[in-house]
């Protein structure tokens, strides 16, 4: 018995030794050992490995105290990595962060400005309430530091601290110190002060209001700032309300050189400012000058990478709705290239349709015809739809557009024929009683038309132009043979209407045909809409053929051209946010961005309800559904929520 017990104990001890050995071989145990090594290089490499593991999502919070031991070093690289580690795990280990406070305070007084700035930035990013009591004195000193890099870092730190404790920030006078930083001699500090004040203003009202005496300083600083600093200053200036027209003109003239900047974001922010200041500038010659100077930089953006092109095109789309003729002379710049990504091609076609006029419609229609010969089905549909939009918009271009559509039909390529037939039918609706020869060509290619929308368009054409269709009766008779097997109600409804119209125009030839169509629809069709239409026609024809003629063959006003223009309120908001994500999505930022003072998912006002902006267009190249509806779910809550 004792021997068995001793054997079991020995086995347990062996298992324990194996488990301990396995634990010792674990990566965290190995890192712990390396972090406590007496050799500096080994500790440095261990810190690098810890940050690498943290970056890929591994939990290394168990090494917190071991990492803290390495803070007392003059190696700037190690300090940066350790500070990054502290920022990441401060919220999960708030009590242990206090152990690093002395090092932070000491580093904030270091002779090296990089270390001073690093310390104050890290303390601001920790977002731990316990740190606030120790941060005030170092932050106050750094705000008055002799080095501009430290001052600009301290200014941004105030915004971080304000987010954590607004009352303490104001009591310590940090907000006022940031306002004073607007008069700093260094442009980096000025730009950071503007950015910090705008950020704090989003969280509390009355923090900052741009005054006329400050505008001059900002206009001076914008010329010397780096790219992101220029953007921050230009955004602040775009929200400023000039005292009079003269001041508005002066501001616009001072920022015009920013249009020549190589950075696309600076260019778009400058354009935003100019567009917003149009309401303050009355001189037509000056506005024309501003518009003329906006053209070259916008065109230059199209020479960038595809992603930048897409952003530029989406913003240009918004700009053109404010100034439709702005780029009318640059139409060839927007022609699609063979190697353009499909999303860029869609946006280029949308812009081309916007800037087209009667004078330049012919080259554009020729170009769109070439696009319709591509192999990408979606791109072909987008190009052919654009042809129809141009024909509907400009009567002078209708003849050429219909010729292009008939040429596409004669290609006899399946997916091209379908969309060309559908668009041709739409164009003929805009010009009732005209272009009958196009109806002839369409019906000659009936054997290639098989999609429901295209077939419905063809049937409508037969009903409207039977005199131009030699075998109209045969075609309608053939369609009736498969009437009950037809799954799409649009085709059935179009067939009933076309048959009745054909009978009213040629009663001697179509009497048996119309009886057959109405009997089939009323007695055998399961679709109630189709049955109801057939009953209405039957009763009209039976009771009063003259009334039936006045109903079925009544002159109809042409439909309004399809418009992708944004509603005026939405357009004003997007112009005010030009160059931002909202102008690319064409959804106001307030629909998907919430600050910490707000509760995500709860509409701020009635304007957030789904019915608001119901006329918003869809993405170019797709159907005309409301683009903003995609961002709205039940009860008016935005689908995409971003919180800061």
């Amino acid at each position: 018995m004792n021997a068995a017990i001793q054997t079991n104990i020995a086995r347990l001890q062996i298992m324990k030794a194996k488990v301990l050995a396995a634990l010792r071989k674990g990566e965290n145990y190995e890192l712990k050992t390396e972090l406590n090594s007496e050799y500096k290089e080994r500790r440095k490499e261990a810190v690098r490995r810890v940050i690498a593991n943290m970056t890929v999502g591994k939990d290394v919070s168990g090494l917190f105290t071991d990492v803290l031991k390495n803070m007392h070093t003059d190696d700037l690289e190690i300090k940066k990595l350790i500070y990054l580690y502290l920022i990441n795990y401060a919220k999960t280990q708030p009590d242990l962060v206090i152990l690093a406070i002395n090092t932070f305070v000491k580093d904030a007084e270091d002779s090296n400005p990089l270390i001073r700035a690093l310390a104050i930035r890290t303390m601001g990013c920790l977002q731990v309430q316990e740190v606030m009591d120790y941060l005030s004195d170092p932050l106050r000193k750094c705000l008055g530091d002799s080095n501009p890099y430290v001052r600009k870092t301290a200014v941004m730190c105030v915004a971080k601290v304000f987010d954590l404790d607004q009352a303490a920030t104001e009591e310590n006078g940090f907000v006022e110190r940031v306002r004073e930083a607007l008069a700093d001699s260094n442009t980096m500090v000025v730009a950071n002060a503007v950015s910090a004040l705008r950020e704090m203003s989003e969280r509390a009202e009355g923090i900052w209001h741009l005054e006329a005496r400050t505008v001059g300083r900002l206009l001076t600083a914008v010329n010397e700032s780096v790219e992101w600093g220029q953007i921050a200053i230009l955004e602040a200036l775009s929200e400023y309300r000039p005292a009079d027209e003269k001041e508005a003109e002066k501001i616009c003239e001072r920022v015009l050189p920013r249009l020549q900047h190589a950075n696309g974001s600076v260019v778009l922010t400058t354009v935003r400012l100019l567009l917003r200041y149009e309401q303050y500038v009355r001189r037509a010659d000056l506005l024309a000058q501003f518009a003329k100077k906006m053209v070259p930089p916008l065109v230059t953006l199209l020479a960038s990478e595809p992603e930048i092109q897409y952003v530029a095109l989406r913003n240009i789309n918004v700009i053109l709705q404010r100034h439709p003729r702005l780029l009318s002379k640059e139409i060839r710049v927007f022609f699609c290239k063979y190697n353009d990504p499909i999303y860029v091609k869609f946006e280029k076609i949308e812009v081309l349709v916007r800037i087209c006029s009667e004078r330049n419609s012919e080259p554009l229609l020729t170009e769109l015809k070439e696009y319709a010969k591509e192999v990408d089905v979606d791109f072909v549909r987008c190009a052919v739809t654009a042809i129809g939009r141009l024909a509907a918009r400009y009567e002078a271009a209708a003849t050429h557009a219909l010729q292009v559509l008939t040429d596409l039909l004669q290609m006899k390529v399946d997916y091209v024929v379908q969309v060309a037939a559908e668009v041709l039918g739409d164009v003929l609706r805009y010009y009732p009683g005209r272009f009958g020869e196009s109806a002839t060509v369409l019906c000659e290619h009936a054997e290639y038309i098989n999609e429901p929308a295209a077939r419905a368009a063809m049937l409508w054409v037969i009903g409207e132009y039977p005199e131009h269709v030699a075998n109209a009766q045969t075609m309608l008779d053939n369609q009736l043979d498969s009437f009950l097997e037809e799954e799409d109600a649009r085709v059935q409804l179009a067939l009933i209407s076309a048959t009745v119209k054909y009978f009213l125009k040629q009663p001697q030839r179509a009497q048996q045909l119309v009886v057959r169509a109405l009997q089939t629809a009323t007695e055998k069709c399961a679709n109630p809409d189709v049955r109801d239409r057939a009953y209405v026609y039957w009763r009209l024809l039976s009771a009063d053929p003259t009334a039936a003629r006045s109903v079925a063959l009544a002159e109809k006003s042409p439909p309004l051209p399809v418009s992708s223009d944004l509603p005026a309120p939405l357009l004003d908001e997007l112009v005010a946010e030009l160059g931002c994500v909202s102008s690319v999505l064409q959804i106001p930022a307030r629909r998907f961005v919430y600050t910490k003072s707000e509760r995500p998912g709860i509409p701020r006002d009635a304007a957030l309800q789904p019915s608001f902006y119901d006329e918003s267009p869809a993405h170019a190249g797709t159907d005309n559904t409301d683009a903003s509806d995609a961002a709205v779910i039940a009860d008016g809550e935005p689908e995409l929520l971003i919180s800061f």
Side-chain angles (χ1 to χ4, degrees), residues 493 496-497 500 518 521-522 528-545 547-549 551-552:
L493 292 169
I496 294 296
S497 298
V500 172
L518 295 177
T522 54
D529 293 331
V530 177
R531 284 202 312 272
D532 288 347
R533 179 172 295 191
Y535 276 124
V536 169
Y537 278 136
W538 201 327
R539 288 170 183 169
L540 275 172
L541 292 171
S542 302
D544 190 350
R549 181 179 296 273
V551 171

Side-chain angles (χ1 to χ4, degrees), residues 261-273:
H261 203 283
N263 186 289
S265 185
V266 175
V267 172
L268 289 174
T269 309
T270 307
V271 172
R272 180 206 306 183
L273 185 148

Side-chain angles (χ1 to χ4, degrees), residues 3-218:
I5 294 174
Q6 289 178 353
T7 302
N8 289 334
I9 292 174
R11 289 177 178 174
L12 290 173
Q13 289 176 342
I14 293 172
M15 291 175 63
K16 181 180 178 180
K18 289 181 178 180
V19 170
L20 290 174
L23 290 174
R24 291 192 184 98
K25 292 179 182 178
E27 187 173 12
N28 277 7
Y29 182 85
E30 181 182 346
L31 288 172
K32 185 181 182 71
T33 304
E34 294 293 320
L35 287 169
N36 291 282
S37 173
E38 58 180 321
Y39 300 106
K40 180 179 178 180
E41 289 302 320
R42 295 179 66 178
R43 295 199 303 271
K44 186 174 183 178
E45 184 60 30
V47 172
R48 288 173 177 166
R49 289 173 58 190
V50 169
I51 299 302
N53 287 345
M54 183 185 74
T55 305
V56 297
K58 293 183 179 179
D59 183 16
V60 287
S61 58
L63 302 172
F64 199 92
T65 54
D66 300 290
V67 172
L68 282 180
K69 293 177 184 177
N70 291 275
M71 283 185 65
H72 304 283
T73 177
D74 296 329
D75 191 319
L76 188 58
E77 180 186 354
I78 294 296
K79 263 190 191 300
K80 288 181 178 179
L81 293 176
I82 293 176
Y83 282 0
L84 182 63
Y85 177 89
L86 291 176
I87 292 172
N88 192 60
Y89 287 111
K91 289 187 178 181
T92 58
Q93 307 277 357
D95 296 333
L96 295 178
V97 171
I98 303 299
L99 301 176
I101 292 298
N102 290 334
T103 305
F104 283 132
V105 174
K106 181 181 176 182
D107 285 351
E109 299 177 353
D110 195 274
S111 58
N112 187 339
L114 293 177
I115 292 180
R116 296 202 300 273
L118 181 63
I120 203 68
R121 178 169 60 235
T122 305
M123 291 180 75
C125 291
L126 289 177
Q127 296 291 292
V128 176
Q129 187 64 43
E130 289 80 357
V131 178
M132 277 296 301
D133 299 334
Y134 305 92
L135 178 60
S136 300
D137 291 338
L139 181 55
R140 189 174 291 105
K141 291 179 181 178
C142 288
L143 284 169
D145 198 279
S146 59
N147 190 284
Y149 181 77
V150 179
R151 294 201 302 275
K152 84 177 186 67
T153 306
V155 163
M156 292 305 298
C157 182
V158 172
K160 303 293 183 185
V161 174
F162 186 88
D163 186 31
L164 184 64
D165 193 336
Q166 177 180 342
T169 307
E170 294 182 347
E171 288 174 6
N172 283 283
F174 292 147
V175 176
E176 185 59 34
R177 293 290 296 274
V178 176
R179 295 193 190 103
E180 294 172 359
L182 292 172
D184 197 280
S185 58
N186 188 277
T187 56
M188 291 192 305
V189 180
V190 174
N192 274 32
V194 171
S195 182
L197 286 170
R198 293 183 72 242
E199 185 176 336
M200 289 187 287
S201 298
E202 293 177 358
R203 290 168 169 75
E205 295 182 359
I207 294 298
W208 182 53
H209 176 71
L210 185 57
E211 300 174 349
R213 58 189 177 88
T214 311
V215 170
R217 300 172 189 165
L218 298 185

Side-chain angles (χ1 to χ4, degrees), residues 508-583:
Q508 301 300 326
R509 301 177 58 184
Q511 186 170 0
Q512 293 183 353
L513 181 67
V514 73
V515 171
R516 177 189 173 197
L518 295 177
Q519 281 184 339
T520 304
T522 54
E523 297 176 3
K524 300 180 181 179
C525 183
N527 190 303
D529 293 331
V530 177
R531 284 202 312 272
D532 288 347
R533 179 172 295 191
Y535 276 124
V536 169
Y537 278 136
W538 201 327
R539 288 170 183 169
L540 275 172
L541 292 171
S542 302
D544 190 350
T546 305
R549 181 179 296 273
S550 64
V551 171
L553 302 181
E555 291 187 6
K556 304 175 185 66
S557 4
L560 294 174
V562 176
S563 174
S564 57
D565 290 345
L566 298 168
L570 175 58
L571 179 60
D572 291 339
E573 286 194 67
L574 295 183
V575 167
E577 297 168 359
L578 206 66
C580 302
V581 175
S582 53
S583 63

Side-chain angles (χ1 to χ4, degrees), residues 110 190 254 315 405 453 462 482 513 552 567 636:
D110 195 274
V190 174
R254 292 280 297 275
N315 282 275
L405 291 172
I462 294 174
S482 57
L513 181 67

